Amino acid sequence: MIPARARGRAEPQAGGLGRMQMDILMIEDEPNIAEAVRFLLTREGWRVGLHADGAGAIEAIRAAAPRLVILDLMLPNRSGAQILDDLRAEDHAALATTPVLMLTARGQSPDAGARADAVLAKPFDNDELRRTVRRMLP
């Protein structure tokens, strides 16, 4: 069964974020990972937007005003850690406190996502991802 909040809504894509309120904005440069996560989470009823580059990520977050950001640590042009620092320094309190799930590669420094609300190491289990997002988006 599809939750009411997801019925009849288009999933925004990178570049088409517009003003549509979405549940999750995923900032991930690897298309296969981004599409797999988008597919998995939209099947759970969440509205998911994608942004594929560190450049413009803060602007995409501002435009989308998501309830959750899934942020890859290693991105082209700007790291996930830099984006997270900028997000936490935002003047707008709602943006600054947006929950962030950081995705890291196995073996990366454990403090890489220290300011994130949760961290998952890639490759991650789909059920673990769903549980984490459910916990972060009650």
Side-chain angles (χ1 to χ4, degrees), residues 1-3 22 24-25 30 68 77 93 96 111 118 122 127:
M1 182 165 96
I2 298 174
M22 70 180 65
I24 301 164
L25 177 61
E30 180 58 48
L68 171 68
N77 299 310
D111 61 330
K122 295 190 270 185
D127 289 333

Side-chain angles (χ1 to χ4, degrees), residues 43-106:
R43 287 185 52 96
E44 293 291 314
W46 288 299
R47 296 162 300 199
V48 179
L50 302 175
H51 185 80
D53 196 323
I58 286 294
E59 292 79 7
I61 294 168
R62 285 183 193 131
R67 296 173 49 215
L68 171 68
V69 173
I70 299 177
L71 181 59
D72 187 16
L73 182 61
M74 294 192 318
L75 291 164
N77 299 310
R78 194 153 174 76
S79 76
Q82 291 170 314
I83 295 164
L84 182 55
D85 286 344
D86 289 351
L87 182 62
R88 294 298 185 236
E90 275 288 315
D91 289 334
H92 193 280
L95 282 177
T97 60
T98 301
V100 174
L101 169 57
M102 182 74 75
L103 302 179
T104 65
R106 292 212 190 277

